[in-house]
Amino acid sequence: MGLLQLSFVLCIFCIISVLGFGVDPALRISLFNELRLGDTFAGVSQVQGFHNESRAFIFQDTARELKAPEGVADEILKKLRNRKEFTILATVKQEPLNSGVILSVHHAEQRFLELESSGHRNEIRLRYRTESQQPHTDIFPYTLADGRWHKVSVALSASHVLLHVDCNRIYEKVVEPPSMDLPEDTSIWLGQRNSAHGFFKGVMQDVELLVMPQGYISQCPDLNRTCPTCNDFHGLVQKIMELQDILAKTSSKLSKAEEKMNGLDRCYCERTCNVKGLLYREDESWTDGCKNCTCSNGTALCQPISCSPPLCPPDSAPAYVTGRCCQECQPMCTFRKRVYMVGERQALRESSGKCSLFECRDRTMRRVAPPTCPELNCAETDQLALADRCCSICRGHDFCAEGHNCMENSDCVSLEAGPSCRCRDGFRALRDDEAYCEDIDECAEGRHYCRENTACVNTPGSFMCVCSTGYIRIDDYSCTEHNECDSGQHACDENALCFNTVGGHSCSCKPGYTGNGTLCKALCEGLCQNGGTCVSPDTCICQAGFTGKRCDTDIDECSSGFVECDSRAVCVNLPGWYHCECRDGYHDNGMFSANGESCEDIDECGTGRNSCTNDTVCFNLEGGYDCRCPHGKNCTGDCIHDNRVKHNGQIWVLESDRCSVCSCQTGLVMCRRMVCDCENPTVDLFCCPECDPRLSSQCLHQNGLLAYSTGASWVESCQQCQCLVRASSEYGGRGGLCRPSWGEGVCWPGERCLEGGVGLPGGRASAGLVRGAWKAVVFVSVCRGHEGPL
């Protein structure tokens, strides 16, 4: 089966699945309909809702008592009684800080089912009685009372309760199953707990009870989409075709790559580690200060070195050696009952001021020549004499500048007697002199200050608190939910409502618009006709030549005075436009000017288009002609018609049209259609169908909804249609569209037919029949160029 066939089959399956989804009316309880809200209850009034499909009511005045009448309550309780699965649905816009009950089903002090929204505590409460007949309350921390529209759904299914807000699953809990063992006189309240407490303030719409599992799907059908829509599937098919193309190209590249890899079979590749400018091979180990490191898959893995105290002989002592982490046994010197390590010095000052300097070498304190002391630039009171040097120094001397053994992550600090190492913040010492330090993982050790909605990430010497998805930063340690609707960082259309959700947002088109929320288009009832464009709810912008709320009214440019035709032409209104048609006795010279200036007189005498008899002389006139007797002669006034002589004053019926009557008047043939007198019982209904009272004498509009009497005209798809005499039984067929079907030989030589005109003064009508129901629908053209009456 090809992709197109598969697409068709799956589309049909999806359509059947979607159309098949619905709620049995016996399982749906609409509280507004059951209570007949707005008709019998005070304290509420109908207002504009979230959408226009159902009514919405505002709950303001506390002096109200919205309690279901006894008969209504009994019917609702029958559907709820002993049910284990049901759903409360509501669309609400609650006033800020209001705490009110949306729905309450209780008997005395026993609350069998109650849904409350608290604006003071920013939570939703669901109260019911369990199977063990104990009162139970589920509390969901969520703010509904914020003055915005929200879709709320609370579904109980055996031991589970699910809360959806704006089609997003907010909470799901495992609870003890509810008990719907409802007594006979249980009361049902809407928007309040009783006549004195729990008054809801705001607007509610679509408050319903569904006694079925997963009733929230009725409010949010997309939560149960088990297959894509046809549009989605076509997109999937397109993606599959693109992936097939990518697969073919990738297979070609893979084939070429395999050819190149065949030449690399003898090569051995390994990942190396580059540390401090040194390159280490895979599995190679080395010592980095106080850490043992190993190169593993291109990454240096290091562990602190564990040092054991060395066992030193009597003439040596443990000491740190430059470049080593652990203490090692080093030779020592004893001098004046003190122990000195190798390299340590001692200065001896005599009373005369002479200074001798000794240094521990080869287990013996040896005299060394003291250096020349520099001149000090500090006061004598700030000069200090040290035990390991003969030269005095100034207070605050920088010992670190003379050299130190502090390694990475450790800083040298100059003390009063010499230099010392201190680990940087966020690091701990690997040995007691703090020359080597390692990073502290605050996240793993719990030594961080990251709060809710964040994740701790360790960094060298510190840590970071990264906000969870959908949250924004308050400070370095905490984040809060990001309200994309308030910040404007959402994808909703300008004609859509934005609803903030946990970790995101949702969009819904405003009333009067249709779409998916990210793209909303204005909705015009009945649509815009004749090419009009819907620009806002129930507002059409019409094409030139049309007006009206639905652009269904043609503008008569001729009668409105917008058009000035030449004196030799007459204005004719057309659907959406107009036309300056030459008057009788004139025809267009081929230049076709819009205002009729191209109309010129027809020489009926020269062209032979006149009815003057052979004993009269034709005289051309502006816009017509005249038949005159030659001077000195008497004319009979007879006429020639269809190559036959008709005497002056003679009247006859046309052989080709029994509904037309002609007469000869002083050489001129005058024809007109028979005058219909519907009061005459012998009237010819063939010629006067308007006198026929039967239904079959009417024409049916193309849409099959309207009927027109004979002679009536209308505009359809920019064509002028008219109901004429012919009946459908003559031509057969029903319900045809109004399309022109022009006959041949209708106009005289030199004339042409102007499509779209109807009933132009003096024009000759050629009718193209279009079959319709009951009677014939005719599209009429007008012949140009004929002079004089027919």
Side-chain angles (χ1 to χ4, degrees):
M1 181 182 293
L3 286 177
L4 292 178
Q5 292 173 314
L6 179 60
S7 171
F8 176 79
V9 171
L10 288 183
C11 281
I12 294 299
F13 174 78
C14 291
I15 291 173
I16 294 174
S17 298
V18 173
L19 292 178
F21 174 78
V23 178
D24 185 351
L27 304 178
R28 183 190 296 271
I29 304 172
S30 175
L31 274 302
F32 284 2
N33 294 339
E34 296 290 342
L35 271 65
R36 296 183 180 177
L37 198 60
D39 297 336
T40 58
F41 294 93
V44 296
S45 55
Q46 187 169 343
V47 294
Q48 176 71 38
F50 177 70
H51 56 78
N52 296 327
E53 283 76 19
S54 60
R55 296 179 300 166
F57 293 90
I58 185 169
F59 295 67
Q60 289 179 313
D61 197 350
T62 55
R64 63 174 186 257
E65 190 167 342
L66 269 66
K67 178 181 178 182
E70 184 177 351
V72 174
D74 290 341
E75 292 299 321
I76 296 176
L77 295 176
K78 286 180 182 178
K79 295 183 179 181
L80 274 177
R81 191 167 283 117
N82 298 322
R83 290 282 184 172
K84 299 298 183 184
E85 295 179 313
F86 51 86
T87 305
I88 305 175
L89 302 177
T91 302
V92 300
K93 184 169 73 171
Q94 188 176 5
E95 292 182 6
L97 300 179
N98 169 247
S99 294
V101 172
I102 297 174
L103 175 66
S104 179
V105 180
H106 64 267
H107 176 264
E109 297 300 323
Q110 299 178 356
R111 302 178 192 176
F112 290 94
L113 181 62
E114 185 178 282
L115 180 62
E116 180 183 10
S117 170
S118 174
H120 293 287
R121 301 202 174 199
N122 296 325
E123 59 189 28
I124 300 172
R125 305 184 188 121
L126 178 66
R127 297 185 174 93
Y128 55 91
R129 294 186 68 82
T130 64
E131 289 184 339
S132 58
Q133 298 303 315
Q134 296 297 319
H136 181 80
T137 301
D138 278 321
I139 297 177
F140 308 98
Y142 198 91
T143 304
L144 279 184
D146 57 3
R148 299 178 181 175
W149 281 106
H150 295 286
K151 295 180 179 180
V152 185
S153 166
V154 179
L156 282 91
S157 179
S159 60
H160 282 72
V161 58
L162 287 87
L163 171 66
H164 286 79
V165 180
D166 299 324
C167 298
N168 292 281
R169 178 175 293 189
I170 306 301
Y171 294 101
E172 180 176 0
K173 292 184 177 180
V174 177
V175 297
E176 186 175 350
S179 171
M180 286 289 107
D181 187 13
L182 305 172
E184 290 296 332
D185 52 347
T186 299
S187 59
I188 300 175
W189 296 76
L190 180 64
Q192 59 195 97
R193 178 174 297 117
N194 48 46
S195 57
H197 299 94
F199 288 96
F200 176 93
K201 293 185 179 180
V203 185
M204 284 199 291
Q205 188 176 17
D206 297 336
V207 182
E208 296 179 333
L209 273 170
L210 299 184
V211 286
M212 58 177 289
Q214 298 180 337
Y216 55 86
I217 298 173
S218 173
Q219 189 182 66
C220 304
D222 286 345
L223 294 179
N224 194 38
R225 281 181 56 181
T226 56
C227 69
T229 63
C230 289
N231 184 55
D232 295 339
F233 185 79
H234 283 306
L236 293 174
V237 171
Q238 182 64 30
K239 289 296 183 183
I240 291 174
M241 296 177 67
E242 294 175 1
L243 290 173
Q244 287 177 336
D245 182 58
I246 294 174
L247 178 61
K249 294 179 180 178
T250 305
S251 298
S252 177
K253 294 180 180 180
L254 181 61
S255 177
K256 294 180 180 179
E258 288 177 346
E259 293 179 1
K260 294 181 179 180
M261 290 178 63
N262 289 334
L264 302 176
D265 289 341
R266 298 182 180 180
C267 296
Y268 172 72
C269 300
E270 65 177 359
R271 301 188 66 179
T272 57
C273 301
N274 193 333
V275 181
K276 298 179 182 179
L278 299 176
L279 193 66
Y280 298 95
R281 299 184 62 180
E282 179 74 8
D283 295 331
E284 185 176 356
S285 299
W286 69 95
T287 300
D288 183 8
C290 285
K291 294 180 289 185
N292 288 328
C293 301
T294 303
C295 181
S296 176
N297 198 25
T299 302
L301 302 179
C302 300
Q303 295 291 334
I305 296 175
S306 179
C307 298
S308 300
L311 299 177
C312 299
D315 58 348
S316 63
Y320 290 111
V321 180
T322 302
R324 303 289 181 87
C325 179
C326 299
Q327 289 183 334
E328 298 179 1
C329 294
Q330 297 293 320
M332 64 179 184
C333 302
T334 303
F335 183 64
R336 292 190 175 187
K337 298 181 180 181
R338 284 189 57 192
V339 175
Y340 296 87
M341 303 305 297
V342 175
E344 290 185 341
R345 293 184 175 187
Q346 177 65 48
L348 298 178
R349 293 179 175 83
E350 300 177 1
S351 58
S352 61
K354 181 179 179 182
C355 179
S356 300
L357 187 62
F358 296 87
E359 181 179 351
C360 179
R361 297 179 184 172
D362 299 328
R363 294 183 172 83
T364 303
M365 297 294 290
R366 301 180 183 276
R367 185 188 298 272
V368 296
T372 302
C373 295
E375 185 177 353
L376 300 177
N377 56 359
C378 58
E380 187 174 349
T381 57
D382 290 332
Q383 295 180 3
L384 301 175
L386 301 180
D388 61 345
R389 61 183 66 188
C390 289
C391 298
S392 298
I393 61 171
C394 290
R395 192 182 303 276
H397 179 73
D398 187 3
F399 294 102
C400 294
E402 297 176 354
H404 60 84
N405 63 343
C406 301
M407 307 306 290
E408 61 178 344
N409 304 321
S410 178
D411 295 327
C412 178
V413 180
S414 292
L415 303 180
E416 187 171 327
S420 178
C421 295
R422 292 290 183 271
C423 288
R424 297 173 185 169
D425 291 342
F427 296 87
R428 66 163 62 92
L430 290 174
R431 66 186 202 185
D432 52 11
D433 63 352
E434 299 188 26
Y436 290 90
C437 305
E438 68 170 346
D439 176 50
I440 299 174
D441 190 344
E442 294 85 355
C443 299
E445 298 179 9
R447 300 171 61 178
H448 62 85
Y449 311 103
C450 294
R451 303 182 182 228
E452 61 273 7
N453 307 322
T454 63
C456 181
V457 177
N458 186 60
T459 59
S462 184
F463 62 92
M464 290 178 57
C465 299
V466 180
C467 293
S468 302
T469 304
Y471 294 84
I472 56 175
R473 185 171 300 281
I474 298 177
D475 50 35
D476 290 342
Y477 308 109
S478 57
C479 302
T480 187
E481 182 184 351
H482 182 201
N483 192 328
E484 294 92 345
C485 299
D486 288 345
S487 65
Q489 298 178 358
H490 57 80
C492 299
D493 189 89
E494 62 180 354
N495 295 314
L497 298 175
C498 180
F499 297 97
N500 187 56
T501 60
V502 177
H505 67 280
S506 62
C507 307
S508 182
C509 292
K510 295 179 180 178
Y513 294 86
T514 181
N516 58 7
T518 58
L519 180 63
C520 298
K521 295 182 179 180
L523 182 63
C524 293
E525 294 183 4
L527 304 179
C528 302
Q529 302 179 19
N530 296 309
T533 303
C534 184
V535 294
S536 62
D538 290 339
T539 302
C540 299
I541 291 184
C542 302
Q543 295 275 20
F546 293 95
T547 186
K549 186 176 181 180
R550 297 289 174 262
C551 302
D552 52 357
T553 304
D554 174 51
I555 297 176
D556 190 343
E557 293 84 359
C558 298
S559 63
S560 61
F562 291 156
V563 181
E564 290 187 8
C565 293
D566 188 82
S567 60
R568 293 165 291 182
V570 62
C571 181
V572 179
N573 184 57
L574 298 175
W577 197 231
Y578 66 92
H579 169 64
C580 288
E581 173 67 20
C582 294
R583 294 181 181 272
D584 294 341
Y586 297 89
H587 69 110
D588 198 283
N589 60 11
M591 302 303 293
F592 302 110
S593 61
N595 62 352
E597 290 180 351
S598 57
C599 294
E600 62 180 20
D601 177 55
I602 298 174
D603 185 359
E604 292 88 354
C605 299
T607 59
R609 298 176 61 179
N610 61 80
S611 59
C612 295
T613 59
N614 53 3
D615 58 352
T616 59
V617 178
C618 178
F619 287 89
N620 186 57
L621 301 176
E622 183 70 20
Y625 67 95
D626 191 12
C627 299
R628 302 176 184 177
C629 290
H631 182 68
K633 290 186 179 181
N634 292 322
C635 298
T636 63
D638 293 340
C639 304
I640 302 297
H641 185 266
D642 288 341
N643 296 322
R644 296 180 184 177
V645 177
K646 301 294 182 180
H647 299 294
N648 186 25
Q650 183 178 352
I651 299 175
W652 70 96
V653 177
L654 287 178
E655 295 180 359
S656 59
D657 185 3
R658 76 186 195 190
C659 299
S660 296
V661 179
C662 299
S663 64
C664 178
Q665 300 177 11
T666 62
L668 295 179
V669 176
M670 306 296 292
C671 295
R672 63 180 175 82
R673 189 166 181 81
M674 182 183 298
V675 178
C676 294
D677 181 8
C678 293
E679 295 182 0
N680 185 355
T682 62
V683 66
D684 189 347
L685 295 181
F686 180 83
C687 299
C688 301
E690 62 269 29
C691 299
D692 190 350
R694 296 174 300 173
L695 184 63
S696 60
S697 65
Q698 295 179 331
C699 291
L700 191 64
H701 188 275
Q702 287 86 343
N703 60 20
L705 302 177
L706 301 176
Y708 293 93
S709 300
T710 300
S713 62
W714 66 95
V715 175
E716 174 67 20
S717 301
C718 294
Q719 298 187 56
Q720 187 77 39
C721 304
Q722 188 177 27
C723 180
L724 292 186
V725 63
R726 305 298 195 274
S728 61
S729 59
E730 282 191 58
Y731 298 92
R734 294 175 62 88
L737 295 176
C738 185
R739 302 183 183 181
S741 176
W742 308 107
E744 295 186 6
V746 177
C747 299
W748 287 5
E751 293 180 333
R752 68 179 183 280
C753 289
L754 173 65
E755 298 183 5
V758 176
L760 299 185
R764 177 154 23 160
S766 61
L769 179 64
V770 179
R771 296 169 184 169
W774 302 334
K775 292 193 64 180
V777 180
V778 177
F779 186 92
V780 180
S781 69
V782 174
C783 298
R784 281 184 169 179
H786 174 65
E787 56 181 66
L790 293 177

